């Protein structure tokens, strides 16, 4: 079928398993055994598995990491990525998604899309005859979580049993982290202000495993955590709420007080871009820069696994 797992980050618990499949594929293909970052870098230009293949990359929102890692990933694998800004595409002038999907399918071997409404990705996947990859919607950010899982495995040696704590807005990142973390055997605690908690259906699914909690207390979520993770208080598309959110999210920050209650060797992660002094202090970010920028680098390696899985023979 043309529907590819990453297009389908879960709206229903049944879809959750697709994330697990991709998670395992990624870890097996990209993070084989004790593969380190440098050996992954050495592999970069070896295999042109996607020689002659093309990926269209539709961006309705800004991007540094997702855009560059997909584009370089395609190049390294022998193919080509085309950056397609919705500002320039006819889709930005109202051409229907269903028509765009059918047209692009005649030219391309795959489509990656970063957009607002998750239903646009689903519609694109429904009408496209080629694989569709979710490069972030208002609801999910699955490809980031693949890189996050690789990074945790690299630094901690395993995923099963890891105590993972997320601090901040119950947003697209949180949803994909809950799904990915729970599916890979971690326990997940999230701390969000009241009214900004993750999607109720995803939390209900996660709670059934007995490995998920949601609280409004940052210290409670962070207690004994092996991994602390945060993301911006105002996501792309929420710019007009930024001022209001700055007040509501005061205290939902990874800082030295939070580090003090976490495990001694706790990792700190951030999908980036970061707002120093808001969701994370500059001090904590710099102290954990190695982990955070490994995480950013791993976007490239995990993207390649996704591309091989979706566009390979
Ligand atoms: N983390 C992430 O997706 O970064 P970009 O918005 O720069 O792609
Ligand atoms: N929650 C953020 C993630 C950016 C990678 C956003 O959607 O803007």
């Amino acid at each position: 079928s043309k529907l590819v797992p990453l297009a389908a980050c879960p709206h229903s618990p049944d879809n959750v398993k697709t994330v697990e499949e991709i998670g395992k594929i990624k870890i097996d293909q990209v993070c084989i055994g004790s593969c380190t970052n440098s050996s992954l870098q050495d592999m970069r230009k070896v295999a042109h598995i996607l020689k002659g293949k093309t990926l269209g990359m539709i961006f309705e929102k800004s991007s540094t990491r997702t855009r560059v890692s997909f584009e370089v990933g395609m190049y390294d694998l022998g193919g080509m990525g085309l950056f397609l800004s919705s500002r320039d595409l006819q889709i930005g002038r109202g051409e229907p998604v269903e028509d765009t999907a059918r047209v692009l399918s005649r030219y391309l071997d795959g489509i990656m899309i970063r957009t607002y409404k998750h239903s646009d990705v689903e519609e694109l996947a429904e009408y496209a005859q080629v694989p569709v990859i979710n490069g972030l919607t208002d609801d999910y950010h699955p490809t980031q979580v693949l890189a996050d899982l690789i990074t945790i495995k690299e630094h901690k040696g395993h995923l099963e049993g890891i105590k993972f704590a997320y601090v901040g807005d119950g947003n697209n990142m949180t949803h994909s982290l809950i799904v990915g973390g729970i599916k890979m055997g971690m326990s997940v605690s999230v701390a969000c202000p009241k009214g900004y908690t993750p999607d109720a259906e995803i939390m209900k699914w996660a709670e059934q495993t007995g490995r998920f909690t949601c609280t409004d207390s940052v210290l409670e979520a962070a207690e004994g955590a092996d991994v602390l993770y945060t993301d911006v208080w105002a996501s792309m598309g929420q710019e007009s709420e930024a001022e209001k959110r700055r007040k509501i999210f005061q205290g939902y920050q990874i800082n030295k007080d939070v580090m003090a209650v976490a495990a001694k060797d706790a990792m700190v992660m951030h999908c980036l871009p970061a707002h120093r002094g808001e969701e994370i202090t500059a001090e904590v970010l710099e102290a954990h820069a190695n982990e955070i920028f490994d995480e950013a680098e791993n976007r490239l390696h995990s993207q390649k696994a996704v591309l091989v899985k979706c566009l390979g023979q």
Side-chain angles (χ1 to χ4, degrees), residues 62-66 114 141 144 271-272 299:
S62 300
S63 174
T64 297
R65 284 144 286 268
T66 306
R114 166 170 288 197
H141 195 3
Q144 176 69 50
C271 57
L272 302 176
R299 293 299 304 279

Side-chain angles (χ1 to χ4, degrees), residues 42-299:
D42 292 343
M43 281 162 56
R44 280 182 70 169
K45 305 230 162 51
V46 176
H48 281 188
I49 300 167
L50 299 184
K51 192 169 164 54
K53 299 268 170 113
T54 51
L55 176 78
M57 310 184 301
I58 303 174
F59 282 93
E60 295 200 48
K61 291 174 172 172
S62 300
S63 174
T64 297
R65 284 144 286 268
T66 306
R67 187 245 166 120
V68 177
S69 58
F70 268 109
E71 194 164 331
V72 173
M74 278 304 287
Y75 175 81
D76 283 352
L77 293 166
M80 180 174 78
L82 289 91
F83 174 69
L84 305 169
S85 164
S86 61
R87 274 195 297 268
D88 305 321
L89 292 174
Q90 295 288 8
I91 206 171
R93 296 179 57 247
E95 184 167 15
V97 171
E98 67 214 65
D99 293 355
T100 306
R102 284 176 286 186
V103 171
L104 292 181
S105 297
R106 306 282 179 120
Y107 305 136
L108 300 165
D109 298 296
I111 302 169
M112 192 237 69
I113 179 167
R114 166 170 288 197
T115 190
Y116 294 87
K117 290 194 306 212
H118 191 75
S119 58
D120 280 350
V121 179
E122 292 176 326
E123 199 181 345
L124 192 69
E126 190 183 332
Y127 284 92
Q129 271 102 44
V130 295
V132 171
I133 299 168
N134 176 2
L136 180 147
T137 64
D138 289 345
D139 297 340
Y140 301 105
H141 195 3
T143 60
Q144 176 69 50
V145 171
L146 301 187
D148 296 340
L149 293 170
I150 285 184
T151 312
I152 297 168
K153 190 162 184 243
E154 267 180 356
H155 283 260
K156 295 286 177 198
H158 62 104
L159 295 174
E160 187 104 28
I162 287 286
K163 196 169 182 298
F164 180 93
Y166 175 91
V167 172
D169 186 24
N171 61 17
N172 46 8
M173 242 2 292
T174 326
H175 294 152
S176 292
L177 284 166
I178 292 170
V179 173
I182 291 286
K183 292 304 280 185
M184 298 313 288
M186 309 199 300
S187 72
V188 178
S189 310
V190 307
C192 307
K194 287 196 176 68
Y196 293 85
T197 52
D199 176 80
E201 196 188 347
I202 295 175
M203 290 205 288
K204 197 169 143 212
W205 167 80
E207 272 158 9
Q208 285 167 6
T209 66
R211 289 184 278 112
F212 176 79
T213 58
C214 178
T215 169
D216 61 4
S217 162
V218 175
L219 294 180
E220 193 181 308
E223 179 85 42
D226 301 308
V227 181
L228 288 161
Y229 197 114
T230 191
D231 184 19
V232 291
W233 290 343
S235 285
M236 291 181 277
Q238 296 171 335
E239 288 78 6
S240 66
E241 295 176 34
E243 203 45 53
K244 177 180 131 197
R245 283 171 169 264
R246 229 168 257 134
K247 293 193 186 85
I248 292 166
F249 283 86
Q250 278 308 317
Y252 286 83
Q253 180 187 66
I254 301 186
N255 54 34
K256 63 177 184 324
D257 298 338
V258 176
M259 296 309 298
V261 302
K264 268 204 189 64
D265 59 348
M267 278 177 77
V268 175
M269 301 180 74
H270 194 309
C271 57
L272 302 176
H275 290 70
R276 289 164 174 80
E278 294 191 6
E279 75 276 2
I280 189 166
T281 59
E283 185 191 9
V284 170
L285 190 150
E286 291 307 331
H288 292 270
N290 184 38
E291 293 145 17
I292 291 168
F293 293 104
D294 274 358
E295 179 186 5
E297 177 185 327
N298 282 333
R299 293 299 304 279

